[in-house]
Amino acid sequence: MPSAARLRGHRPSWFTPKVARTEVLAGLVVALALIPEAISFSVIAGVDPSVGLFASFTMAVVISVVGGRPAMISAATGAIALVVAPLAREHGFGYLIATVILGGLCQIALGALGVAKLLRFVPRSVMLGFVNSLSILVFVAQLPNLVDVPWAVYPLLVGGLALTALLPRFTTVVPAPLVSIVALTAVTAGAHLAVPTVGDKGRLPAGLPLPGLPEVPFTAATLTLIAPYALAFALVGLMESLMTAQLVDEITGTRSNKTRESLGQGVANIVTGLFGGMGGCAMIGQTMVNVKTSGARTRLSTFLSGVFLMVLCIVFGPVVSRIPMAALVAVMMLVCVTTFDWRSVSPRTFRRLPVGESAVMVITVVCVVATGNLAVGVVVGSVSAMVVFARRVAHLAEVSSVTDPTGDRIRYTVTGALFFASSNVLASRFDYADDPGEVVIDLTAAHIWDASSVAALDGIADRYARHGKTVELVGLNPRSAELHGTLSGQLG
């Protein structure tokens, strides 16, 4: 018989009353917040509301098992909806489903190839831009719910914001967002207030989704049509998921398995497609509700968010339909305000940070907000960071010279990193016409990184040779010597 201590060692992390209560309540809050979001994203994609709700259900349930970041919420998202919307509009629902399945396969392939490792090349300034821009996007997405609405919406919104912000100061037994949603729903129903509700967003499903294959011809023409959309689907989904996972890592002080998350996103999207969902990825807004606001830390909250979503839609549909949108808008707005990194935009931070890093953060935010596309913002931000880094490092390459007392020999000392940016100005640091006949270039304090640097050194030697002078390279470290030996004289 196994000992009690060994059994306790194999228990899941949520297997205590206190943790389980937190996870269950967090899952319920997230499920309530997912319903209007999923319906809205379905409208963006041009499909029936049930398609987005089914996607949120299957994504959350599957990723809770196969994903690499506990407590992160994956569901139908606006980023994915924007990718698949043109295909659904022009070719029909069957092609959308086929794209979701193929996109999942692409994510598995990219995960197996180690695409998650590329996340380490995303600098902190881009990460801050990612967080701030998504906070802005989620906040702006709530504003249409506050335009051309009855006056009663605004007192409800203020009450929801106050309750969600202030309740945690008195008790954390029940998540403040859940209390706010229940209280505002009771007030709306009791006072018979005519305000927009969840039911106004669309019809909730009456049953569970059934598996099936997409109704498209399985031909090369179909594959050619959907492949570009599927690749964009895979890249956008992985980028948003991995960046969100990194953010949760920082908030919780724990590490996640990014490769497993990449593979898990692919599996979840394949399952979602087979069950007629529109696909999805990690959601930063709902993830922040789960992790930061509700305090969830395990896979149980992710799993239950999907289960509760279907239970609320199928069993408690009439009740859920009466939840005022003002309650959910209040929760999401407060999440945006708390998620936004206000320190990153303070005047004090701008004064202390290098101008380049602040510029990269601002560029990332502007690109994401202007395009509504996370991938564009992160790629542009990362490229901008590379340019800033290259300019900064290029200035670290220095050349100094000492002439022998006899006047027959001059020794140049090169320090710093030699690559395409710094090697372009390297040739201008030598006096080809007036130097003595023997030239020594000491590279002990330098490192050759690329072919551009080898070509620059060959060009220097060639220019000295045209003046009848010899050049000797000394002090090359093993890697630099290997690269120089392989490429020298072969670059034209």
Side-chain angles (χ1 to χ4, degrees):
M1 293 289 291
S3 66
R6 288 184 62 187
L7 286 175
R8 285 194 297 271
H10 287 84
R11 287 177 178 175
S13 54
W14 50 264
F15 201 77
T16 64
K18 183 178 180 180
V19 175
R21 183 191 66 221
T22 300
E23 300 295 314
V24 170
L25 293 176
L28 180 57
V29 172
V30 171
L32 289 168
L34 278 175
I35 293 173
E37 295 281 318
I39 295 174
S40 298
F41 297 146
S42 299
V43 173
I44 293 174
V47 296
D48 188 81
S50 62
V51 176
L53 291 166
F54 288 158
S56 297
F57 163 63
T58 52
M59 286 294 299
V61 170
V62 175
I63 205 67
S64 69
V65 178
V66 300
R69 173 64 260 180
M72 189 169 76
I73 303 297
S74 291
T77 64
I80 293 298
L82 290 171
V83 171
V84 299
L87 188 66
R89 183 172 57 251
E90 296 173 15
H91 301 280
F93 180 67
Y95 286 88
L96 182 151
I97 297 303
T99 300
V100 172
I101 295 173
L102 182 59
L105 291 171
C106 289
Q107 288 178 327
I108 291 176
L110 291 170
L113 291 172
V115 70
K117 295 178 181 178
L118 296 177
L119 190 64
R120 62 184 175 179
F121 296 108
V122 177
R124 182 178 181 274
S125 52
V126 175
M127 188 68 186
L128 286 174
F130 161 81
V131 173
N132 292 345
S133 60
L134 281 186
S135 298
I136 294 171
L137 286 179
V138 174
F139 187 92
V140 171
Q142 311 308 313
L143 298 182
N145 296 302
L146 304 176
V147 179
D148 295 328
V149 294
W151 66 268
V153 168
Y154 303 109
L156 288 174
L157 176 67
V158 173
L161 289 171
L163 194 56
T164 307
L166 298 177
L167 184 63
R169 298 185 181 184
F170 303 99
T171 180
T172 56
V173 174
V174 180
L178 181 58
V179 175
S180 176
I181 292 170
V182 172
L184 294 188
T185 303
V187 169
T188 302
H192 302 287
L193 298 177
V195 295
T197 63
V198 170
D200 296 330
K201 287 288 185 178
R203 181 175 55 86
L204 301 181
L208 292 172
L210 298 175
L213 294 175
E215 296 181 1
V216 296
F218 291 86
T219 62
T222 300
L223 181 62
T224 303
L225 174 64
I226 68 174
Y229 293 97
L231 183 58
F233 175 104
L235 291 174
V236 170
L238 283 183
M239 193 173 296
E240 188 157 348
S241 299
L242 294 176
M243 295 284 279
T244 304
Q246 182 68 25
L247 177 61
V248 177
D249 288 355
E250 294 178 5
I251 292 173
T252 61
T254 58
R255 296 182 63 183
S256 59
N257 188 329
K258 305 298 190 303
T259 298
R260 178 176 172 178
E261 183 62 36
S262 302
L263 298 172
Q265 288 289 329
V267 172
N269 274 306
I270 292 173
V271 174
T272 296
L274 292 175
F275 277 89
M278 58 181 275
C281 61
M283 300 185 74
I284 186 171
Q286 276 66 23
T287 298
M288 291 301 100
V289 171
N290 195 47
V291 174
K292 204 167 185 179
T293 307
S294 302
R297 291 293 183 271
T298 76
R299 298 178 185 274
L300 181 63
S301 58
T302 305
F303 175 80
L304 289 179
S305 68
V307 173
F308 284 149
L309 174 64
M310 279 293 99
V311 172
L312 289 170
C313 290
I314 296 172
V315 180
F316 299 102
V319 177
V320 172
S321 296
R322 299 184 66 179
I323 294 175
M325 284 301 302
L328 299 174
V329 169
V331 171
M332 294 309 300
M333 281 187 163
L334 197 62
V335 167
C336 294
V337 171
T338 56
T339 301
F340 192 93
D341 194 320
W342 295 100
R343 186 182 301 175
S344 67
V345 296
S346 69
R348 184 178 182 182
T349 300
F350 278 122
R351 286 195 300 268
R352 289 186 172 185
L353 275 180
V355 175
E357 291 195 28
S358 298
V360 168
M361 189 267 289
V362 172
I363 289 171
T364 304
V365 171
V366 170
C367 288
V368 173
V369 173
T371 64
N373 191 324
L374 169 70
V376 171
V378 172
V379 170
V380 172
S382 297
V383 171
S384 301
M386 292 177 189
V387 172
V388 170
F389 175 77
R391 286 176 58 85
R392 187 181 301 164
V393 175
H395 295 147
L396 298 179
E398 299 291 342
V399 179
S400 59
S401 64
V402 176
T403 305
D404 283 358
T406 61
D408 297 330
R409 184 177 183 181
I410 186 170
R411 186 181 191 90
Y412 284 94
T413 300
V414 181
T415 61
L418 300 183
F419 64 112
F420 61 89
S422 57
S423 60
N424 286 336
V425 297
L426 185 65
S428 64
R429 305 295 179 88
F430 297 85
D431 189 351
Y432 303 98
D434 297 329
D435 278 347
E438 294 183 23
V439 179
V440 177
I441 301 178
D442 187 352
L443 297 165
T444 303
H447 186 91
I448 298 175
W449 286 103
D450 59 10
S452 297
S453 303
V454 176
L457 292 171
D458 283 354
I460 291 168
D462 184 60
R463 291 180 67 175
Y464 273 117
R466 290 202 296 267
H467 286 83
K469 302 170 183 179
T470 61
V471 174
E472 180 186 5
L473 301 181
V474 299
L476 287 166
N477 61 48
R479 287 200 171 186
S480 297
E482 181 182 0
L483 183 63
H484 185 270
T486 302
L487 298 180
S488 181
Q490 308 297 319
L491 300 174

